[in-house]
């Protein structure tokens, strides 16, 4: 069976980050020696899953457009893991586990200590619904409908990185405090201390 494709959403304007006093885009902010975006891309690469990056210059007008663009570009995939690019602490094993979960249920929602995280995994049956997304509306309604039909796997993970996104300067500072550049997890990624 083919692996699902990780759709990395990097087209957002980062308005909350700028509103918190930042002078650069949150994906360009540094965490250790690399940018937030570079950490996310490294985790995805270490997962060995195929991926597609929706860039800021992609001409999208919101999250729905970004998701649809990424899914359209990888329409032959067996499924999609929708991953915001501002999750620099996510671990490769979490991405793989969400992908594996699609063999159990057509939609996978990961959680860390009862808090919903990312990436959310969508099986191939959701191709038309994902392609129909537009504007700022993401895929929450697709998840709600699938949940009513008992088609969602709620997956408990021990990876704090699935919920630690960077929306403000405070979030970035908290991530920097958690990040420990002296330790490695054997996959080429630096570890953090949750």
């Amino acid at each position: 069976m083919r692996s699902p494709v990780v759709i990395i959403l990097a087209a957002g304007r980062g308005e909350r980050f700028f509103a918190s006093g930042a002078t650069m885009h949150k994906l360009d902010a540094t965490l250790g020696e690399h940018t937030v975006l570079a950490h996310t891309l490294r985790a995805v690469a270490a997962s060995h899953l195929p991926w597609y990056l929706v860039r800021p210059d992609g001409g999208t007008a919101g999250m729905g457009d970004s998701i649809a663009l990424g899914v359209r570009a990888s329409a032959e995939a067996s499924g999609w893991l929708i991953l915001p690019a501002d999750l620099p602490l996510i671990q490769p094993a979490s991405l793989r586990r969400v992908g594996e979960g699609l063999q159990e249920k057509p939609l996978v929602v990961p959680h860390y200590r009862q808090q919903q995280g990312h990436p959310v995994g969508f099986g191939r049956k959701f191709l038309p619904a994902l392609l129909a997304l537009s504007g700022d509306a993401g895929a929450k309604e697709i998840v709600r409908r699938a949940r009513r039909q008992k088609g969602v796997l709620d997956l408990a993970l021990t990876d704090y990185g699935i919920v630690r996104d960077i929306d403000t300067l405070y979030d970035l500072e908290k991530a920097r405090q958690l990040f420990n550049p002296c330790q490695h997890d054997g996959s080429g990624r630096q570890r953090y201390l949750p």
Side-chain angles (χ1 to χ4, degrees):
M1 180 169 179
R2 290 174 301 174
S3 297
V5 173
V6 182
I7 304 296
I8 306 162
L9 305 177
R13 294 183 292 274
E15 292 171 348
R16 282 185 284 178
F17 194 67
F18 285 115
S20 73
T23 57
M24 67 174 61
H25 195 282
K26 63 183 178 178
L27 299 181
D28 297 325
T30 57
L31 183 63
E33 297 178 6
H34 303 284
T35 65
V36 167
L37 178 59
H39 280 289
T40 305
L41 292 174
R42 287 163 60 105
V44 172
S47 77
H48 302 293
L49 293 170
W51 54 276
Y52 181 85
L53 176 64
V54 180
R55 298 181 178 276
D57 56 4
T60 60
M63 182 175 287
D65 286 327
S66 293
I67 293 170
L69 187 149
V71 170
R72 190 173 301 109
S74 58
E76 73 293 339
S78 64
W80 300 270
L81 308 185
I82 308 301
L83 178 67
D86 63 350
L87 290 160
L89 302 179
I90 194 165
Q91 299 298 301
S94 298
L95 296 164
R96 287 190 299 270
R97 184 62 190 102
V98 172
E100 291 163 1
L102 288 174
Q103 296 175 24
E104 299 173 46
K105 293 268 186 160
L107 203 151
V108 180
V109 178
H111 296 267
Y112 174 80
R113 297 184 180 173
Q114 289 79 47
Q115 184 178 354
Q116 183 174 321
H118 290 283
V120 175
F122 296 87
R124 182 144 185 91
K125 75 177 263 181
F126 293 103
L127 175 65
L130 293 169
L131 289 175
L133 293 174
S134 64
D136 280 330
K140 286 182 181 175
E141 185 54 37
I142 297 172
V143 175
R144 278 192 210 103
R145 284 194 307 263
R147 202 172 280 291
R148 284 193 299 266
Q149 298 169 356
K150 310 257 190 268
V152 176
L153 172 64
D154 287 300
L155 183 64
L157 297 176
T158 58
D159 179 6
Y160 185 60
I162 70 169
V163 297
R164 176 52 66 185
D165 60 347
I166 308 296
D167 282 332
T168 65
L169 283 173
Y170 174 81
D171 296 333
L172 179 63
E173 185 54 38
K174 189 73 171 163
R176 285 176 173 159
Q177 291 170 10
L178 294 168
F179 187 72
N180 184 345
C182 298
Q183 296 183 6
H184 295 272
D185 67 1
S187 68
R189 272 195 44 83
Q190 293 171 323
R191 289 179 56 203
Y192 64 94
L193 302 174

